[in-house]
Amino acid sequence: MSGAAWPERPRAWLEARQLEVEQIDPARRVLLQELAAAVRERLAASGRADLVFVCTHNSRRSQFGQVWAQVAADWHGLAGVRAFSGGTEVTACAPGTLDAFRRVGLDVERATDDLANPVWRIAAGTAAESRCWSKQVADPANPDRDFLAVMTCSSADEACPFVPGAAHRLAVRYADPKVADGTPREESTYDARCAEIAREMLYAMSSVRAG
């Protein structure tokens, strides 16, 4: 496991998520194994598998998906896996998303001076770096062909029945932590969603490696 050399705090948090496989119900595991099979197929065909996580605002669930898929791929030593994200609308990365990453020990640094929609560098030490900001799926920063579109919310899933350029499209939906914004449950809700997505991406990438 490549995670052994990672910073202690995120490493311990990720190791704990790996021990929670029983929290993923059987039907969900089948879905994640389908995602793993698609990643494995792309790696076998070209040595590269690009995943684009999609939700409406590209500010919460798709950002969690992008970061944790990249972390999980690097954790399991899957060279060639790259994770991206996009939405149907442009907003900004939600503060609750960034705070959840910070609480598990990831480095979160502002990379641009844009006040409305800055780019954030999110990384586990020097490993698994991601650049996160809100953008549309077709943004030039994202791959435009032969990628795996992972739909993380029902609205985006229904609004984008066809994703141009995608070699495979799969709905892996998550509840929106936005419902807790501004309430006493905000921190715990974002932390729960962050952990759920990390747990499932670790499981999926483990399945890629095992397959």
Side-chain angles (χ1 to χ4, degrees):
M1 181 177 65
S2 61
W6 289 29
E8 180 178 357
R9 190 170 159 207
R11 175 172 53 81
W13 189 86
L14 288 162
E15 288 172 344
R17 303 292 77 74
Q18 286 200 132
L19 297 176
E20 297 170 346
V21 173
E22 71 283 352
Q23 295 186 27
I24 306 173
D25 69 51
R28 194 76 176 175
R29 291 186 205 183
V30 170
L31 184 61
L32 294 169
Q33 287 165 4
E34 183 179 344
L35 174 61
V39 171
R40 197 180 306 118
E41 179 182 331
R42 297 307 306 161
L43 288 173
S46 64
R48 191 177 76 189
D50 289 341
L51 292 84
V52 179
F53 290 83
V54 185
C55 69
T56 301
H57 298 114
N58 190 206
S59 59
R60 296 172 177 83
R61 290 163 288 181
S62 55
Q63 304 282 12
F64 282 140
Q66 174 187 348
V67 170
W68 291 127
Q70 193 64 66
V71 165
D74 290 6
W75 179 271
H76 286 295
L78 296 172
V81 174
R82 303 190 304 172
F84 305 85
S85 64
T88 58
E89 301 174 23
V90 175
T91 55
C93 193
T97 304
L98 300 170
D99 289 342
F101 284 135
R102 292 187 181 102
R103 284 191 291 271
V104 304
L106 298 190
D107 296 331
V108 179
E109 298 178 357
R110 192 179 188 133
T112 65
D113 294 329
D114 182 354
L115 296 178
N117 183 21
V119 175
W120 297 91
R121 173 191 170 274
I122 302 173
T126 58
E129 180 174 316
S130 296
R131 298 271 170 158
C132 292
W133 72 100
S134 181
K135 58 196 161 310
Q136 292 189 330
V137 177
D139 189 277
N142 288 338
D144 61 2
R145 61 180 178 177
D146 297 332
F147 60 89
L148 309 178
V150 185
M151 318 305 290
T152 62
C153 79
S154 57
S155 296
D157 188 23
E158 293 163 4
C160 302
F162 171 73
V163 181
H168 192 86
R169 180 188 178 284
L170 184 66
V172 184
R173 298 180 178 183
Y174 296 98
D176 192 352
K178 181 181 179 179
V179 297
D181 283 3
T183 75
R185 299 182 295 105
E186 181 173 341
E187 183 174 313
S188 62
T189 300
Y190 275 84
D191 286 351
R193 196 63 59 246
C194 182
E196 178 188 15
I197 295 175
R199 180 187 310 125
E200 294 197 347
M201 291 304 106
L202 285 164
Y203 176 82
M205 295 304 163
S206 174
S207 298
V208 173
R209 191 178 67 171

